[in-house]
Short mmCIF file of all heavy atoms in Angstrom, two decimals:
data_model
loop_
_atom_site.label_atom_id
_atom_site.label_comp_id
_atom_site.label_asym_id
_atom_site.label_seq_id
_atom_site.Cartn_x
_atom_site.Cartn_y
_atom_site.Cartn_z
N ALA L 153 81.17 89.87 115.75
CA ALA L 153 81.93 91.12 115.47
C ALA L 153 81.13 92.37 115.91
O ALA L 153 79.85 92.33 115.96
CB ALA L 153 82.14 91.08 113.93
N GLN L 154 81.85 93.31 116.27
CA GLN L 154 81.24 94.62 116.48
C GLN L 154 80.95 95.16 115.06
O GLN L 154 81.64 94.97 114.18
CB GLN L 154 82.26 95.55 117.13
CG GLN L 154 81.56 97.06 117.36
CD GLN L 154 82.55 98.16 117.71
OE1 GLN L 154 83.78 97.86 117.95
NE2 GLN L 154 81.99 99.35 117.76
N VAL L 155 79.67 95.70 115.02
CA VAL L 155 79.18 96.18 113.71
C VAL L 155 78.89 97.68 113.77
O VAL L 155 78.17 98.06 114.61
CB VAL L 155 78.03 95.36 113.23
CG1 VAL L 155 77.46 95.88 111.86
CG2 VAL L 155 78.34 93.88 113.21
N VAL L 156 79.65 98.39 112.85
CA VAL L 156 79.38 99.89 112.92
C VAL L 156 78.71 100.15 111.44
O VAL L 156 79.34 99.97 110.46
CB VAL L 156 80.58 100.69 113.03
CG1 VAL L 156 80.27 102.16 112.96
CG2 VAL L 156 81.36 100.41 114.33
N VAL L 157 77.50 100.68 111.52
CA VAL L 157 76.83 101.16 110.22
C VAL L 157 77.01 102.60 110.07
O VAL L 157 76.70 103.32 111.00
CB VAL L 157 75.33 100.66 110.27
CG1 VAL L 157 74.59 101.17 109.09
CG2 VAL L 157 75.14 99.09 110.47
N VAL L 158 77.61 103.02 108.94
CA VAL L 158 77.65 104.40 108.64
C VAL L 158 76.60 104.76 107.71
O VAL L 158 76.55 104.27 106.64
CB VAL L 158 79.12 104.60 108.07
CG1 VAL L 158 79.33 106.15 107.92
CG2 VAL L 158 80.25 104.05 108.89
N ALA L 159 75.65 105.60 108.12
CA ALA L 159 74.52 105.94 107.45
C ALA L 159 74.34 107.40 107.21
O ALA L 159 74.85 108.29 108.01
CB ALA L 159 73.29 105.34 108.21
N PRO L 160 73.63 107.87 106.24
CA PRO L 160 73.31 109.26 106.09
C PRO L 160 72.62 109.83 107.35
O PRO L 160 71.67 109.05 107.95
CB PRO L 160 72.27 109.35 104.91
CG PRO L 160 72.38 108.05 104.13
CD PRO L 160 72.77 107.02 105.16
N LYS L 161 72.82 111.06 107.74
CA LYS L 161 72.40 111.50 109.05
C LYS L 161 70.78 111.46 109.02
O LYS L 161 70.27 110.99 110.07
CB LYS L 161 72.78 112.95 109.20
CG LYS L 161 73.44 113.33 110.42
CD LYS L 161 73.45 114.86 110.70
CE LYS L 161 74.45 115.07 111.80
NZ LYS L 161 75.69 115.70 111.37
N ALA L 162 70.11 111.75 107.99
CA ALA L 162 68.77 111.67 107.88
C ALA L 162 68.09 110.28 107.88
O ALA L 162 66.88 110.15 108.14
CB ALA L 162 68.24 112.47 106.64
N HIS L 163 68.94 109.30 107.79
CA HIS L 163 68.37 108.01 107.88
C HIS L 163 68.97 107.17 109.02
O HIS L 163 68.88 105.94 108.97
CB HIS L 163 68.73 107.26 106.47
CG HIS L 163 67.93 107.73 105.33
ND1 HIS L 163 68.10 108.99 104.79
CD2 HIS L 163 66.92 107.11 104.73
CE1 HIS L 163 67.16 109.02 103.81
NE2 HIS L 163 66.55 108.03 103.73
N ALA L 164 69.39 107.86 110.03
CA ALA L 164 70.07 107.17 111.24
C ALA L 164 69.06 106.28 111.84
O ALA L 164 69.39 105.11 112.22
CB ALA L 164 70.69 108.23 112.24
N ASP L 165 67.80 106.80 112.08
CA ASP L 165 66.81 106.00 112.84
C ASP L 165 66.45 104.72 111.97
O ASP L 165 66.31 103.68 112.53
CB ASP L 165 65.49 106.84 113.11
CG ASP L 165 65.80 107.90 114.10
OD1 ASP L 165 66.94 107.81 114.75
OD2 ASP L 165 65.02 108.87 114.19
N GLU L 166 66.28 104.95 110.75
CA GLU L 166 65.94 103.77 109.74
C GLU L 166 67.12 102.78 109.86
O GLU L 166 66.75 101.54 109.94
CB GLU L 166 65.72 104.39 108.33
CG GLU L 166 64.98 103.42 107.50
CD GLU L 166 64.79 103.96 106.04
OE1 GLU L 166 64.97 105.21 105.85
OE2 GLU L 166 64.47 103.17 105.19
N ALA L 167 68.28 103.24 109.86
CA ALA L 167 69.48 102.27 109.80
C ALA L 167 69.45 101.51 111.09
O ALA L 167 69.69 100.29 111.16
CB ALA L 167 70.83 103.09 109.59
N GLN L 168 69.17 102.22 112.24
CA GLN L 168 69.18 101.64 113.62
C GLN L 168 68.06 100.50 113.61
O GLN L 168 68.27 99.46 114.18
CB GLN L 168 68.77 102.78 114.58
CG GLN L 168 69.06 102.32 116.10
CD GLN L 168 70.45 102.12 116.44
OE1 GLN L 168 70.82 100.82 116.57
NE2 GLN L 168 71.30 103.13 116.47
N ALA L 169 66.82 100.82 113.02
CA ALA L 169 65.73 99.83 113.03
C ALA L 169 66.15 98.67 112.25
O ALA L 169 65.83 97.52 112.70
CB ALA L 169 64.56 100.58 112.52
N ILE L 170 66.79 98.88 111.05
CA ILE L 170 67.16 97.69 110.19
C ILE L 170 68.16 96.89 111.02
O ILE L 170 68.13 95.60 111.14
CB ILE L 170 67.77 98.20 108.98
CG1 ILE L 170 66.74 98.88 108.03
CG2 ILE L 170 68.47 97.09 108.15
CD1 ILE L 170 67.17 99.70 106.78
N ALA L 171 69.21 97.49 111.54
CA ALA L 171 70.25 96.79 112.33
C ALA L 171 69.70 95.95 113.45
O ALA L 171 70.12 94.79 113.66
CB ALA L 171 71.34 97.81 112.74
N ARG L 172 68.80 96.54 114.19
CA ARG L 172 68.17 95.89 115.33
C ARG L 172 67.48 94.61 114.91
O ARG L 172 67.51 93.55 115.46
CB ARG L 172 67.22 96.77 116.07
CG ARG L 172 67.83 97.81 116.94
CD ARG L 172 67.15 98.02 118.28
NE ARG L 172 67.83 99.10 118.93
CZ ARG L 172 67.39 100.30 118.81
NH1 ARG L 172 66.41 100.66 118.03
NH2 ARG L 172 68.11 101.31 119.44
N ARG L 173 66.65 94.81 113.74
CA ARG L 173 65.86 93.69 113.20
C ARG L 173 66.72 92.65 112.76
O ARG L 173 66.55 91.37 113.11
CB ARG L 173 65.16 94.28 111.93
CG ARG L 173 64.22 93.43 111.23
CD ARG L 173 63.16 94.29 110.45
NE ARG L 173 63.61 94.74 109.31
CZ ARG L 173 63.43 96.05 108.93
NH1 ARG L 173 62.89 96.93 109.72
NH2 ARG L 173 63.87 96.47 107.77
N VAL L 174 67.91 93.01 112.16
CA VAL L 174 68.76 91.77 111.65
C VAL L 174 69.64 91.26 112.88
O VAL L 174 69.81 90.03 112.80
CB VAL L 174 69.67 92.43 110.69
CG1 VAL L 174 70.88 91.34 110.16
CG2 VAL L 174 69.02 92.94 109.37
N ALA L 175 69.97 92.05 113.82
CA ALA L 175 70.95 91.55 114.79
C ALA L 175 70.25 90.80 115.82
O ALA L 175 70.82 89.83 116.46
CB ALA L 175 71.59 92.77 115.49
N GLY L 176 68.91 90.94 116.05
CA GLY L 176 68.34 90.29 117.07
C GLY L 176 69.01 90.28 118.42
O GLY L 176 69.26 91.34 118.88
N PRO L 177 69.32 89.07 119.08
CA PRO L 177 69.88 89.17 120.36
C PRO L 177 71.37 89.88 120.44
O PRO L 177 71.79 90.17 121.45
CB PRO L 177 69.95 87.67 120.75
CG PRO L 177 69.78 86.96 119.44
CD PRO L 177 69.00 87.78 118.47
N LEU L 178 71.93 90.02 119.18
CA LEU L 178 73.22 90.54 119.13
C LEU L 178 73.17 92.04 118.84
O LEU L 178 74.23 92.73 118.58
CB LEU L 178 74.08 89.99 118.02
CG LEU L 178 74.32 88.46 118.22
CD1 LEU L 178 75.04 87.88 116.89
CD2 LEU L 178 75.14 88.10 119.38
N ALA L 179 72.06 92.77 119.03
CA ALA L 179 71.82 94.13 118.81
C ALA L 179 72.83 95.02 119.64
O ALA L 179 73.20 96.11 119.23
CB ALA L 179 70.41 94.51 119.22
N GLY L 180 73.30 94.48 120.76
CA GLY L 180 74.24 95.30 121.50
C GLY L 180 75.58 95.50 120.94
O GLY L 180 76.36 96.39 121.30
N LEU L 181 75.88 94.72 119.86
CA LEU L 181 77.12 94.87 119.08
C LEU L 181 76.97 95.90 117.99
O LEU L 181 78.04 96.18 117.29
CB LEU L 181 77.44 93.44 118.40
CG LEU L 181 77.84 92.30 119.41
CD1 LEU L 181 77.97 91.04 118.57
CD2 LEU L 181 79.11 92.67 120.10
N VAL L 182 75.84 96.46 117.66
CA VAL L 182 75.70 97.34 116.57
C VAL L 182 75.55 98.82 116.96
O VAL L 182 74.90 99.11 118.04
CB VAL L 182 74.44 97.04 115.77
CG1 VAL L 182 74.49 97.61 114.46
CG2 VAL L 182 74.17 95.62 115.59
N SER L 183 76.18 99.74 116.33
CA SER L 183 75.96 101.04 116.37
C SER L 183 75.77 101.75 115.06
O SER L 183 76.32 101.11 113.97
CB SER L 183 77.06 101.78 117.27
OG SER L 183 78.33 101.47 116.65
N VAL L 184 75.24 102.91 115.03
CA VAL L 184 75.07 103.67 113.72
C VAL L 184 75.67 104.98 113.93
O VAL L 184 75.42 105.68 114.84
CB VAL L 184 73.49 103.83 113.46
CG1 VAL L 184 73.37 104.70 112.20
CG2 VAL L 184 72.88 102.45 113.25
N VAL L 185 76.57 105.40 112.88
CA VAL L 185 77.18 106.69 113.00
C VAL L 185 76.97 107.43 111.72
O VAL L 185 76.71 106.85 110.66
CB VAL L 185 78.71 106.54 113.35
CG1 VAL L 185 78.90 105.88 114.68
CG2 VAL L 185 79.42 105.98 112.19
N PRO L 186 76.96 108.81 111.73
CA PRO L 186 76.68 109.52 110.53
C PRO L 186 77.95 109.55 109.58
O PRO L 186 78.94 109.43 109.92
CB PRO L 186 76.51 110.99 111.03
CG PRO L 186 77.09 111.04 112.39
CD PRO L 186 77.22 109.60 112.95
N GLY L 187 77.48 109.36 108.30
CA GLY L 187 78.46 109.37 107.25
C GLY L 187 79.04 110.73 106.74
O GLY L 187 78.69 111.83 107.33
N GLY L 188 80.17 110.78 106.06
CA GLY L 188 80.76 111.98 105.56
C GLY L 188 80.46 112.17 104.20
O GLY L 188 79.63 111.46 103.42
N ALA L 189 81.05 113.28 103.52
CA ALA L 189 80.80 113.61 102.18
C ALA L 189 81.40 112.61 101.15
O ALA L 189 80.95 112.59 100.04
CB ALA L 189 81.42 115.04 101.91
N THR L 190 82.45 111.94 101.59
CA THR L 190 83.06 110.95 100.66
C THR L 190 83.10 109.61 101.36
O THR L 190 82.88 109.58 102.66
CB THR L 190 84.52 111.30 100.29
OG1 THR L 190 85.30 111.21 101.66
CG2 THR L 190 84.75 112.58 99.79
N ARG L 191 83.27 108.46 100.53
CA ARG L 191 83.36 107.23 101.21
C ARG L 191 84.50 107.10 102.21
O ARG L 191 84.27 106.67 103.28
CB ARG L 191 83.53 106.13 100.16
CG ARG L 191 83.60 104.67 100.67
CD ARG L 191 83.83 103.71 99.57
NE ARG L 191 83.72 102.31 100.09
CZ ARG L 191 84.71 101.81 100.75
NH1 ARG L 191 85.86 102.48 101.13
NH2 ARG L 191 84.60 100.47 101.18
N GLN L 192 85.58 107.76 101.89
CA GLN L 192 86.65 107.70 102.91
C GLN L 192 86.40 108.36 104.20
O GLN L 192 86.69 107.81 105.38
CB GLN L 192 87.99 108.29 102.35
CG GLN L 192 89.23 107.86 103.19
CD GLN L 192 90.40 108.88 103.14
OE1 GLN L 192 90.47 109.69 102.35
NE2 GLN L 192 91.25 108.77 104.11
N GLU L 193 85.68 109.54 104.19
CA GLU L 193 85.22 110.19 105.38
C GLU L 193 84.21 109.36 106.22
O GLU L 193 84.34 109.42 107.35
CB GLU L 193 84.55 111.42 105.08
CG GLU L 193 85.54 112.63 104.76
CD GLU L 193 84.74 113.99 104.45
OE1 GLU L 193 83.68 114.13 104.94
OE2 GLU L 193 85.29 114.75 103.59
N SER L 194 83.48 108.49 105.46
CA SER L 194 82.53 107.60 106.16
C SER L 194 83.28 106.59 106.78
O SER L 194 83.02 106.18 107.93
CB SER L 194 81.54 107.14 105.09
OG SER L 194 80.69 108.10 104.58
N VAL L 195 84.27 105.98 106.21
CA VAL L 195 85.18 105.02 106.83
C VAL L 195 85.78 105.58 108.02
O VAL L 195 85.84 104.97 109.13
CB VAL L 195 86.19 104.43 105.89
CG1 VAL L 195 87.25 103.57 106.59
CG2 VAL L 195 85.52 103.68 104.65
N VAL L 196 86.30 106.83 108.04
CA VAL L 196 87.03 107.40 109.16
C VAL L 196 85.98 107.54 110.26
O VAL L 196 86.30 107.41 111.53
CB VAL L 196 87.65 108.71 108.78
CG1 VAL L 196 88.13 109.45 109.89
CG2 VAL L 196 88.84 108.46 107.83
N GLY L 197 84.76 107.95 109.93
CA GLY L 197 83.62 108.06 110.93
C GLY L 197 83.54 106.77 111.66
O GLY L 197 83.25 106.61 112.80
N GLY L 198 83.50 105.65 110.81
CA GLY L 198 83.31 104.23 111.41
C GLY L 198 84.44 103.88 112.23
O GLY L 198 84.19 103.29 113.43
N LEU L 199 85.54 104.16 111.95
CA LEU L 199 86.80 103.89 112.71
C LEU L 199 86.75 104.49 114.09
O LEU L 199 87.17 103.87 115.15
CB LEU L 199 88.07 104.31 112.04
CG LEU L 199 88.59 103.42 110.77
CD1 LEU L 199 89.68 104.21 110.04
CD2 LEU L 199 88.93 102.06 111.33
N ALA L 200 86.16 105.61 114.05
CA ALA L 200 86.13 106.40 115.40
C ALA L 200 85.16 105.66 116.37
O ALA L 200 85.25 106.00 117.71
CB ALA L 200 85.73 107.81 115.28
#
Side-chain angles (χ1 to χ4, degrees):
Q154 181 191 357
V155 179
V156 180
V157 177
V158 187
K161 234 195 194 106
H163 286 73
D165 291 347
E166 197 179 344
Q168 191 68 251
I170 292 167
R172 284 220 187 88
R173 184 154 80 228
V174 176
L178 298 177
L181 291 173
V182 195
S183 53
V184 175
V185 302
T190 64
R191 184 181 180 284
Q192 195 207 346
E193 279 178 34
S194 293
V195 172
V196 168
L199 284 171

